[in-house]
């Protein structure tokens, strides 16, 4: 999708070898063809058709000819749906994030690779356990209109954060970061240098952020560095 797709484009343009698990490969191929990627750069991408809830498909994604991938960008989501209800906004799959994350962690546990990949999970603001991370005017919107998708994101985050409680030898992932963008927009973005961020204890408050900026920030701050540094095992709010 938008954020993970932008991160993928940034990685390919920087010469990274990438793998993508998608339900409809033609959609991803069509999207990438508009991004000015050369044939040689596109040759660094392997597209695997499958569902993020299918453990065999996920295991195929994770395994490489030399072992296992070193970084996972988790950008799973569902299509929005409106309904006649006191909470009018829902999803076509209300448990997609938690189910896909549980499947990913189970796949990694079964593979028992010698190295444990870094995990970058895309979540949302509005579900923090720390200080408020959205403008005050957003609070009714987030806690009413987006109640159902936020339940799914919260459970997904809990599955990831449980890794912090385990000894290093028992973790199924290496270091991780949960990235919480504020209200997402589609545009050209302001550039990574202008993106503001904050940890859960001191979040960055803002109104919107473009998906392109989220993806580029993920690549520059999460994929490229040798370690996550201050972001290790943290939840980070992002805004423009």
């Amino acid at each position: 999708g938008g954020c993970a797709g932008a991160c993928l484009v940034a990685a390919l343009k920087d010469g990274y070898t990438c793998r993508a698990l998608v339900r409809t490969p033609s959609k991803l191929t069509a999207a990438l063809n508009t991004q000015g990627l050369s044939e040689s750069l596109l040759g660094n991408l392997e597209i695997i058709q499958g569902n993020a809830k299918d453990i065999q498909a996920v295991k195929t994604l994770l395994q490489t000819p030399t072992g296992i991938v070193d970084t996972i960008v988790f950008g799973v989501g569902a299509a929005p749906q409106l309904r006649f209800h006191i909470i009018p906004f829902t999803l076509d799959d209300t448990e997609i994030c938690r189910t896909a994350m549980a499947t990913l962690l189970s796949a990694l546990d079964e593979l028992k690779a010698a190295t444990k990949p870094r995990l970058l999970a895309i979540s949302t603001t509005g579900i923090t356990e720390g200080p408020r991370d959205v403008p005050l005017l957003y609070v009714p919107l987030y806690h009413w209109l987006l109640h159902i998708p936020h339940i799914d994101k919260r459970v997904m985050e809990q599955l990831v954060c449980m890794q912090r409680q385990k000894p290093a030898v028992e973790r199924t992932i290496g270091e991780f970061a949960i990235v919480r963008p504020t209200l997402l927009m589609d545009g050209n973005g302001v550039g990574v240098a202008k993106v503001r961020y904050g940890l859960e204890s001191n979040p960055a408050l803002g109104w919107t952020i473009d998906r392109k900026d989220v993806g580029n920030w993920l690549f520059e701050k999460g994929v490229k560095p040798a370690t996550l540094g201050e972001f290790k095992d943290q939840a980070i709010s992002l805004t423009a």
Side-chain angles (χ1 to χ4, degrees):
C3 298
C7 185
L8 174 61
V9 169
L12 290 170
K13 286 184 175 179
D14 210 44
Y16 279 67
T17 299
C18 304
R19 319 184 92 206
L21 178 65
V22 293
R23 286 173 293 182
T24 311
S26 60
K27 289 184 179 180
L28 177 58
T29 302
L32 292 175
N33 285 338
T34 68
Q35 298 298 317
L37 292 160
S38 66
E39 288 297 322
S40 62
L41 291 179
L42 287 172
N44 290 333
L45 172 64
E46 181 179 359
I47 299 176
I48 298 164
Q49 184 173 15
N51 193 303
K53 297 189 290 184
D54 179 353
I55 193 168
Q56 293 305 319
V58 175
K59 288 166 82 171
T60 299
L61 172 77
L62 296 171
Q63 293 174 293
T64 73
T66 58
I68 196 167
V69 298
D70 55 35
T71 303
I72 300 165
V73 177
F74 184 93
V76 175
Q81 289 187 341
L82 292 175
R83 59 180 181 168
F84 292 103
H85 192 274
I86 190 172
I87 302 175
F89 184 86
T90 186
L91 301 170
D92 63 354
D93 186 339
T94 59
E95 298 185 357
I96 180 63
C97 292
R98 72 189 87 172
T99 305
M101 181 57 73
T103 302
L104 171 63
L105 295 174
S106 294
L108 288 166
D109 187 52
E110 289 186 14
L111 289 173
K112 300 188 184 304
T115 58
K116 298 175 182 180
R118 179 181 302 179
L119 174 64
L120 306 172
I122 301 170
S123 187
T124 179
T125 51
I127 59 173
T128 180
E129 294 185 359
R132 175 170 52 85
D133 61 357
V134 295
L136 191 58
L137 290 177
Y138 274 5
V139 172
L141 169 72
Y142 272 55
H143 289 279
W144 169 62
L145 189 62
L146 300 178
H147 177 71
I148 291 175
H150 280 187
I151 291 175
D152 193 31
K153 291 288 191 184
R154 186 175 288 110
V155 177
M156 177 201 76
E157 287 195 7
Q158 290 169 352
L159 290 171
V160 177
C161 290
M162 285 172 61
Q163 296 287 315
R164 282 193 295 222
Q165 314 306 321
K166 298 181 178 182
V169 294
E170 295 180 12
R171 288 176 60 144
T172 54
I173 57 175
E175 55 184 14
F176 70 81
I178 296 170
V179 177
R180 296 170 172 168
T182 192
L183 192 63
L184 292 166
M185 308 294 285
D186 288 312
N188 292 323
V190 298
V192 172
K194 294 183 179 179
V195 170
R196 295 184 293 114
Y197 69 86
L199 301 182
E200 190 164 40
S201 60
N202 185 27
L205 294 179
W207 298 98
T208 63
I209 188 169
D210 285 334
R211 290 175 172 87
K212 184 176 181 180
D213 280 334
V214 176
N216 288 336
W217 192 93
L218 267 169
F219 176 66
E220 293 293 337
K221 305 296 185 181
V223 176
K224 287 182 71 174
T227 71
L228 286 177
E230 65 175 315
F231 305 128
K232 179 183 177 182
D233 294 358
Q234 298 291 324
I236 307 112
S237 55
L238 291 187
T239 187

